[in-house]
Amino acid sequence: MKYFTQKNIWFLVFLICSRVDAAYGQGSIQVMLIDGQNNHSNMFDGSRFMKQVLEETGLFKVDIVTTPPAGGDMAAFRPDFSRYDVVLSNYNGDPWTEQTKLAFEQFVAGGGGLVVVHAADNAFPAWEAYNLMIGIGGWEGRDERSGPYLYFDEHKNEFVQDITSGKGGSHGVQHEFLVTTRDPQHPIMKGLPKEWLHQKDELYDRLRGPAKNVTVLATAHSTPETKGSGRHEPVLMTIRYGKGRVFHTTLGHENYSQKCVGFIATLQRGAEWAAKGKVTQPVPKDFPSKDRGAVR
Ligand code: ZN
């Protein structure tokens, strides 16, 4: 029993704690945030803001990786995905090289996490694997050939995959809207209010894609009064691609949209889930309610 001296036991406790800290401590989740091309002029503001809100949880270390500008030499964009747990895409632009696309597919299929924010779901209409990862997307020529239009039918209380022809992706005028939880038991949504008021944003509608292995976590009603679709549109989703986990938020058009505590907290929680398959973060005390929005 001589090994169990007080000194040895304390050393053992120290060893275990340091291992736990290495696994779950400060900034242990490595995030590659990709930007460089986007039809949103606030792209760099958004990248800085998302890096800040992820890192302030203490869970993430975010590296911003910027591609060449539109029309630039994309051969120069060859990031090493293998050093990261999660890729966050704030990118909507030129196709990547076949080599980079393949590396990205292998990263996600092999168990890497992916977070898709707003116009990142407009990107790459012709890249089959990417569209499987995002589930549904919009614009850039998407239509019924891209896959079904996925929405929630409140009367039937079920999701519909509408295969009738039509364009993929549109939105009405920006406004504040209610977000409704559709999967309250999912780790990302657990403890969040059933409904909460989101800040002024574009409410994407009529998104289309393969819509395979998609779990819609939350929807928002796109009303005819705001020139919307009249449907309950997916705004927060998870998608399974191989062994990889994808969190897709259609929210976050402008800086004022991203400052919503609902956008921030679901991004933080979604990124952790994409990396680890679980969420350890408490629901923030200033999370919006049905009647009261909240910004930071
Ligand atoms: Zn937008």
Side-chain angles (χ1 to χ4, degrees), residues 40 118 202 204 253:
H40 289 64
H118 193 60
E202 284 174 346
Y204 278 5
H253 168 71

PDB file of all heavy atoms in Angstrom, residues 40 118 202 204 253, ligand 1:
ATOM      1  N   HIS A  40     -22.867  39.500 -48.554  1.00  0.00           N
ATOM      2  CA  HIS A  40     -23.226  40.348 -47.418  1.00  0.00           C
ATOM      3  C   HIS A  40     -22.025  41.213 -47.049  1.00  0.00           C
ATOM      4  O   HIS A  40     -20.951  40.693 -46.716  1.00  0.00           O
ATOM      5  CB  HIS A  40     -23.659  39.498 -46.229  1.00  0.00           C
ATOM      6  CG  HIS A  40     -24.987  38.842 -46.446  1.00  0.00           C
ATOM      7  ND1 HIS A  40     -25.190  37.909 -47.442  1.00  0.00           N
ATOM      8  CD2 HIS A  40     -26.181  39.012 -45.836  1.00  0.00           C
ATOM      9  CE1 HIS A  40     -26.465  37.530 -47.419  1.00  0.00           C
ATOM     10  NE2 HIS A  40     -27.082  38.172 -46.451  1.00  0.00           N
ATOM     11  N   HIS A 118     -26.465  31.495 -42.195  1.00  0.00           N
ATOM     12  CA  HIS A 118     -27.190  32.369 -43.120  1.00  0.00           C
ATOM     13  C   HIS A 118     -26.780  32.123 -44.573  1.00  0.00           C
ATOM     14  O   HIS A 118     -27.019  31.045 -45.086  1.00  0.00           O
ATOM     15  CB  HIS A 118     -27.021  33.835 -42.682  1.00  0.00           C
ATOM     16  CG  HIS A 118     -27.962  34.792 -43.352  1.00  0.00           C
ATOM     17  ND1 HIS A 118     -29.329  34.684 -43.252  1.00  0.00           N
ATOM     18  CD2 HIS A 118     -27.729  35.880 -44.157  1.00  0.00           C
ATOM     19  CE1 HIS A 118     -29.902  35.662 -43.961  1.00  0.00           C
ATOM     20  NE2 HIS A 118     -28.948  36.394 -44.520  1.00  0.00           N
ATOM     21  N   GLU A 202     -33.610  38.760 -42.037  1.00  0.00           N
ATOM     22  CA  GLU A 202     -34.256  38.135 -43.191  1.00  0.00           C
ATOM     23  C   GLU A 202     -34.759  36.770 -42.748  1.00  0.00           C
ATOM     24  O   GLU A 202     -34.010  36.013 -42.134  1.00  0.00           O
ATOM     25  CB  GLU A 202     -33.247  37.922 -44.319  1.00  0.00           C
ATOM     26  CG  GLU A 202     -32.883  39.165 -45.072  1.00  0.00           C
ATOM     27  CD  GLU A 202     -31.769  38.931 -46.076  1.00  0.00           C
ATOM     28  OE1 GLU A 202     -31.098  37.881 -46.013  1.00  0.00           O
ATOM     29  OE2 GLU A 202     -31.547  39.820 -46.912  1.00  0.00           O
ATOM     30  N   TYR A 204     -35.515  33.491 -44.232  1.00  0.00           N
ATOM     31  CA  TYR A 204     -35.385  32.689 -45.448  1.00  0.00           C
ATOM     32  C   TYR A 204     -36.613  31.789 -45.611  1.00  0.00           C
ATOM     33  O   TYR A 204     -37.093  31.186 -44.659  1.00  0.00           O
ATOM     34  CB  TYR A 204     -34.139  31.797 -45.374  1.00  0.00           C
ATOM     35  CG  TYR A 204     -32.821  32.465 -45.731  1.00  0.00           C
ATOM     36  CD1 TYR A 204     -32.721  33.828 -46.003  1.00  0.00           C
ATOM     37  CD2 TYR A 204     -31.667  31.694 -45.801  1.00  0.00           C
ATOM     38  CE1 TYR A 204     -31.510  34.396 -46.332  1.00  0.00           C
ATOM     39  CE2 TYR A 204     -30.441  32.268 -46.138  1.00  0.00           C
ATOM     40  CZ  TYR A 204     -30.368  33.622 -46.397  1.00  0.00           C
ATOM     41  OH  TYR A 204     -29.161  34.188 -46.733  1.00  0.00           O
ATOM     42  N   HIS A 253     -28.627  37.768 -40.856  1.00  0.00           N
ATOM     43  CA  HIS A 253     -28.387  38.578 -42.063  1.00  0.00           C
ATOM     44  C   HIS A 253     -27.463  39.767 -41.795  1.00  0.00           C
ATOM     45  O   HIS A 253     -26.479  39.975 -42.486  1.00  0.00           O
ATOM     46  CB  HIS A 253     -29.717  39.068 -42.629  1.00  0.00           C
ATOM     47  CG  HIS A 253     -29.574  40.125 -43.683  1.00  0.00           C
ATOM     48  ND1 HIS A 253     -29.089  39.843 -44.942  1.00  0.00           N
ATOM     49  CD2 HIS A 253     -29.802  41.470 -43.658  1.00  0.00           C
ATOM     50  CE1 HIS A 253     -29.055  40.959 -45.660  1.00  0.00           C
ATOM     51  NE2 HIS A 253     -29.469  41.964 -44.903  1.00  0.00           N
TER      52      HIS A 253
HETATM   53 ZN    ZN B   1     -29.021  38.028 -45.864  1.00  0.00          ZN
END
